Amino acid sequence: MKHFFSNFKGDLFGGITAGIVALPLALAFGVSSGMGPSAGLYGAIFISFFAALFGGTNTQISGPTAPMTAVSMVLVASIVAMNDGDLEKALPAILLVFLLAGLLQIILGLAGLGKYIRYIPYPVVSGFMTAIGVIILVTQMLPSIGYYPKEDAAFVDQFRPRAEEVILKNILNEESNEGILVLEDFQETLDRAGEVSEENILKEAQTLANKDASGVIGTIKVLPRALQQIDWLELALALATILIIYGFKRITTAIPSALVALLVVSGVAYGFGLDYRPIQQIPSGFPVPHLDIFSEFKLTSVTPYIFTALTLALLGAIDSLLTSVVADNMTKTQHKPNKELMGQGIGNSIAAIFGGIPGAGATIRTVVNINAGGKTRLSGMIAGILLLIVLLALGPVASKIPAAVLAGILVTVGIGVIDYKGLRAMPYLPRDIKFGPLKISSEVVIMLVVMVLSSIWNLVYAVGIGLIIASLMFMKKMGDLTAKRSDVKTLLEEKGWADEVNFPEDLKKEVFIKHLKGPLFFGFTSEFQQLAKQIPKTASTVVIRMDRMQYLDQSGLYTLEDVLIDLKNAGITVLFVHVLEQPKFMMERVKLIPSLIPEDQIFDDFAACTAYIKKNA
């Protein structure tokens, strides 16, 4: 406990400063997620406190972040649309997925997978982060100009016929689930359909209109209509917020510019009694746990979202561990990756129970904490406590914040999230694959595929596709590299390795040497078979040098076995030189050694192999 408070003053200042920075972002991310500002605030409170308490990075400040919010936004929109556009009705299912993501992070930490997260390729991360920036920028265009699709009567009217169809379909589905034979009792169906009110049709049409105008494609589709109905006051508030955020940074960075913009623009709008749109009401009092999510826990209700929950878990893990590395560099410490994953998982799980959106380690807030003097996990806990005090004491005041101000803050977040470093590097990356007459960079392809698919289709699937493409391209490169470096030539055709120089001249025409200069894995098996076919059947002996073959997988093992069988059937003696530990273990497991290659035909060095050849020549 004494060590816990060893840097109390520094942690107090660090936590308070980080909490102040987190406040406007938490509110903005909550609104962006579709769950309201209170969900962002709840997430920031519980994730910050519990991730710091149980995590493995002393100075890390956690909370809702842009990538996590972008994935959450897609999930929320999807589940809300399936529940007649009613957020309250959809909330248990949404929070259940968030809880599952937190539990998966805990499992990742317990399984010791924290150290492997860093192996996700940079082009995938870069394309994803740029897509997040694009999504935030585009989707905030409508609230920045004060346009809300479900309030555009003419736009909503276009969806009335479809709304009636949806309502009728829902009635038929309900009757089917209730065991009513619709064909035998069609009058009951007609009676229930006749009870559908104008209010229900309007509500369903608004839900459909909102869904149609959501996301990047939906926003672009409805933008021409929105530009004809600009609310100039809302636009002025959003632009003022953006200008203050960027302008105040030029004056000083000691005070968070987003907070200054929030206070100044909100103060002016409220003080002058402007007719602006406020954010959703923030409930007063301590957050109430949503225990009903546990009653919703059914395998059938969770299964469609397991991949999304896993994506949230992995994304949060990557985000957090990258921030941990930044913190290590600044503080000259070493974080514990698996403990950090468990801390993040606990924080996200508790936040979900209390109705908060998921989050991760936040780089800017962590840097602010360290610069302000934070050194221990107490600073992150203080940041969470500060936000709780704001919620309890200033909830009604925060509810007066203009929605356009949070839209302006999110626009600056979107601009900041884009990976400009990766975009600038695109023209200079090596063009290593052919596409018709063109040569293009595989890394640029991965980056663009992830960026485009994430922006216009599905964030979750885009990352999965990006990882698959990156893995396939990596395997292709490794296979090509190994094939290029490995060769099959007689000692007369090639200058051998240093220890092959004194090989007897009279044996050089009969002995073929194959140098394996890389792993024999599934990406190299076809090339290995082609190289093996280059060995003339007139050869009496083949020496396979494995000094540099560090790894042998199951595909490579069986390919090697097939080649050895063919050589044995052709009457060719095969000798191994310097078989490393892992490949030898694999060959012994399937009895390739000693069934095809006896122990006396395996040598530690080329000199011993040469002596054997001379003896048996």
Side-chain angles (χ1 to χ4, degrees), residues 186-467:
F186 196 65
Q187 185 59 45
E188 183 176 343
T189 305
L190 292 175
D191 292 342
R192 293 180 67 177
E195 293 171 5
V196 176
S197 65
E198 182 66 24
E199 182 183 349
N200 289 339
I201 294 173
L202 176 60
K203 185 179 178 182
E204 184 62 40
Q206 288 175 333
T207 300
L208 293 172
N210 239 16
K211 184 179 179 182
D212 192 67
S214 65
V216 172
I217 298 297
T219 300
I220 293 173
K221 190 164 59 175
V222 82
L223 191 58
R225 184 184 193 90
L227 292 174
Q228 297 173 7
Q229 305 176 46
I230 295 176
D231 185 322
W232 295 103
L233 174 59
E234 298 292 313
L235 178 59
L237 293 175
L239 289 176
T241 302
I242 295 168
L243 290 173
I244 291 174
I245 288 174
Y246 287 119
F248 195 79
K249 285 180 181 178
R250 295 180 176 272
I251 300 172
T252 179
T253 55
I255 304 174
S257 60
L259 182 66
V260 173
L262 178 72
L263 294 175
V264 171
V265 180
S266 300
V268 169
Y270 183 76
F272 284 91
L274 300 179
D275 185 22
Y276 64 86
R277 172 192 290 269
I279 61 174
Q280 297 173 27
Q281 187 72 26
I282 297 177
S284 57
F286 196 88
V288 178
H290 291 258
L291 300 179
D292 53 339
I293 64 177
F294 296 105
S295 63
E296 286 283 322
F297 191 85
K298 298 174 184 174
L299 191 61
T300 52
S301 62
V302 174
T303 303
Y305 301 107
I306 287 179
F307 190 44
T308 304
L310 180 60
T311 301
L312 277 169
L314 291 174
L315 182 59
I318 297 165
D319 216 354
S320 300
L321 295 181
L322 288 176
T323 302
S324 296
V325 172
V326 173
D328 286 348
N329 292 335
M330 293 183 69
T331 59
K332 308 304 178 188
T333 56
Q334 183 66 47
H335 74 280
K336 299 174 182 177
N338 295 318
K339 189 177 180 184
E340 181 61 36
L341 286 188
M342 287 188 281
Q344 292 292 332
I346 292 170
N348 278 314
S349 299
I350 295 174
I353 293 171
F354 283 90
I357 61 175
T363 305
I364 294 174
R365 280 161 265 177
T366 300
V367 170
V368 165
N369 174 45
I370 294 170
N371 289 337
K375 289 185 180 178
T376 76
R377 62 188 68 243
L378 184 62
S379 57
M381 296 166 67
I382 289 173
I385 292 170
L386 174 70
L387 292 171
L388 179 61
I389 293 171
V390 170
L391 172 68
L392 297 176
L394 301 174
V397 176
S399 298
K400 303 295 183 183
I401 296 171
V405 170
L406 296 187
I409 291 173
L410 284 169
V411 167
T412 63
V413 170
I415 293 171
V417 166
I418 292 173
D419 182 30
Y420 299 101
K421 180 181 177 182
L423 292 176
R424 284 194 297 266
M426 285 172 61
Y428 308 105
L429 293 172
R431 301 181 180 186
D432 50 357
I433 58 174
K434 286 186 177 182
F435 188 75
L438 302 175
K439 288 193 73 176
I440 55 179
S441 168
S442 58
E443 297 200 347
V444 170
V445 170
I446 296 167
M447 200 182 304
L448 291 176
V449 166
V450 174
M451 182 174 68
V452 172
L453 293 182
S454 296
S455 300
I456 65 173
W457 182 41
N458 186 295
L459 285 161
V460 178
Y461 297 153
V463 171
I465 290 171
L467 287 172

Side-chain angles (χ1 to χ4, degrees), residues 38 55 88 112-113 133 155 232 281 287 297 337 470 483 504 512 578 586:
S38 55
E88 285 302 316
L113 299 178
F155 182 63
W232 295 103
Q281 187 72 26
F297 191 85
F512 283 75
H578 198 184
M586 290 290 288

Side-chain angles (χ1 to χ4, degrees), residues 58 70 97 179 237 425 492 516:
N58 287 340
V97 179
L237 293 175
L492 292 176
L516 290 179

